[in-house]
Amino acid sequence: MARITLDNLRHSYMPAPKGPEDYALKQIDLDWQDGGAYALLGPSGCGKSTLLNIVSGLLTPSGGRILFDGRDITDLPPDQRNIAQVFQFPVIYDTMTVYDNLAFPLRNRGVVQSVVDARVREIAAMLELDDLLGRRAAGLPPDAKQKISMGRGLVREDVNVIMFDEPLTVIDPHLKWKLRSKLKELHHRVRATMIYVTHDQTEALTFADRVVVMDDGIIVQIGTPVELFERPAHTFVGHFIGSPGMNVIPCSLDGGRAIVEGIAIETDNAPAEATGRTEIGVRPEFVSLASSGIPARIVRVADAGRHRIVEAEVAGARVHAVVGEGVDVPDGPAHLAFTPTMTRVYADGWLVGGAQ
Ligand code: ADP
Ligand code: MG
């Protein structure tokens, strides 16, 4: 296992990139600690696979360095990096049995047969492939093939890092949940550094101890699931994580107070002034109905089981509130209150004062 450092990494697929818009990765600086469970979370096209393929050596970056335990491995070919990578779609040998597929990465490195056998059976049991060990892979359904693919990634114990690139795409929903918790369990057992790439916040937050959130070729925040929820460093993080996402309301600043249509709103971090576009960010969980406060108009109420999601209009912006059972929700005109310690000012998207 190893600590992985990405130092000023950039990548463009174009032969002669000009501006930042020509780069799939604009600038990435990152430290993945030895033994950590990480998720790389971001929308489709933000550069997740590009980043993973640079770490595994399938792609050579346009600039910057990759270090394993402080050693520069940027020019090392993939087979010398000692990495296991599981892709979105199964990569297996169709003509081999399930057993031989799982054994392959070990036999390939000359592991003795008794160890191979023990390891194959352990991984097969974990992935519930034990009944299929003697079957040829060719005739199996896509999710079984993907489980074999994952098994091939997990079978070796001596890898620097195991990377999963949206591995559950072809797996059906009930098995998804199960495999995700198995991966988590496995991480606790083997303590391998694992990097799990996904565009799905639930997958990222349930698997990872720390989540790296990406957007448009940059890292917008690295944090624990709680940190990403409680203190989004960027309105993008606030919006992308959470259901519904963080409310974002345009505001102006006046002497250390945030002003929305003439109403002063108490926040955690309002500076005296800020440059750029200023907005208030507050999660629906920290918005409540009040008898006085911020004037609003209720436009919709949706039942979400244990609570309701109230949609209101405040100064032309849509604001969601999570409201518990037993609270009277008026029709039309109402007032809202924002929890001041959880209400923050953002300038040009970024949290004023930083995330720490
Ligand atoms: P993600 O995995 O987050 O969906 P990717 O890393 O695959 O994102 O892609 C990042 C950006 O790079 C996208 O704009 C995508 O169109 C572009 N891209 C990815 N692979 C290639 C390629 N082989 N050639 C040219 N552009 C590519
Ligand atoms: Mg991808």
Side-chain angles (χ1 to χ4, degrees), residues 43-293:
S44 178
C46 74
K48 304 181 297 294
S49 295
T50 302
L51 185 56
L52 226 53
N53 292 339
I54 286 174
V55 173
S56 65
L58 297 175
L59 261 183
T60 305
S62 313
R65 301 183 307 157
I66 307 128
L67 310 151
F68 284 1
D69 285 332
R71 190 169 74 97
D72 189 341
I73 56 103
T74 315
D75 296 321
L76 223 54
D79 60 331
Q80 286 174 41
R81 295 191 185 192
N82 210 14
I83 281 177
Q85 188 169 5
V86 178
F87 299 91
Q88 198 167 358
F89 299 101
V91 179
I92 57 171
Y93 295 102
D94 257 348
T95 54
M96 286 188 191
T97 61
V98 174
Y99 187 104
D100 288 340
N101 261 291
L102 294 176
F104 189 86
L106 299 173
R107 288 182 177 148
N108 203 23
R109 280 163 190 82
V111 176
V112 295
Q113 178 53 31
S114 59
V115 175
V116 172
D117 190 63
R119 207 50 203 151
V120 166
R121 288 181 193 283
E122 185 188 354
I123 293 295
M126 200 198 87
L127 294 168
E128 294 175 15
L129 288 169
D130 8 17
D131 293 342
L132 301 175
L133 281 174
R135 291 269 297 274
R136 279 211 313 167
L140 298 174
D143 62 344
K145 287 187 179 178
Q146 183 63 349
K147 285 203 283 178
I148 301 168
S149 209
M150 291 174 77
R152 287 163 51 90
L154 294 165
V155 76
R156 286 174 58 202
E157 282 181 297
D158 60 340
V159 290
N160 282 320
V161 55
I162 309 174
M163 305 195 298
F164 303 89
D165 193 351
E166 314 230 18
L168 303 182
T169 308
V170 294
I171 305 279
D172 70 60
H174 90 277
L175 205 62
K176 249 185 200 173
W177 180 83
K178 214 153 121 185
L179 281 182
R180 213 165 55 212
S181 32
K182 291 228 162 167
L183 276 181
K184 181 98 192 146
E185 189 186 304
L186 190 94
H187 179 260
H188 276 295
R189 202 141 44 85
V190 303
R191 284 278 151 207
T193 310
M194 289 190 187
I195 300 169
Y196 187 101
V197 169
T198 179
H199 64 270
D200 179 322
Q201 57 161 319
T202 312
E203 282 188 19
L205 299 177
T206 49
F207 171 75
D209 300 327
R210 289 179 81 76
V211 179
V212 178
V213 186
M214 281 182 73
D215 184 33
D216 199 17
I218 63 164
I219 292 171
V220 276
Q221 188 168 11
I222 303 172
T224 63
V226 171
E227 285 165 351
L228 298 179
F229 180 80
E230 292 192 344
R231 202 172 246 285
H234 194 281
T235 51
F236 172 81
V237 178
H239 211 83
F240 197 68
I241 293 171
S243 182
M246 183 171 78
N247 300 300
V248 177
I249 309 157
C251 72
S252 58
L253 294 172
D254 179 23
R257 291 187 314 170
I259 313 285
V260 175
E261 276 206 344
I263 305 148
I265 293 175
E266 206 182 326
T267 69
D268 194 42
N269 67 335
E273 53 184 3
T275 52
R277 176 175 44 91
T278 47
E279 290 157 320
I280 283 176
V282 58
R283 288 203 178 273
E285 289 80 357
F286 306 115
V287 177
S288 54
L289 292 163
S291 52
S292 63

Side-chain angles (χ1 to χ4, degrees), residues 289 297-304 307-312 320-321 323-324 327-332:
L289 292 163
R297 197 172 62 83
I298 310 283
V299 291
R300 193 175 307 154
V301 181
D303 205 324
H307 58 262
R308 281 161 298 164
I309 294 165
V310 173
E311 195 178 320
H320 289 108
V323 172
V327 176
D328 259 343
V329 180
D331 213 9

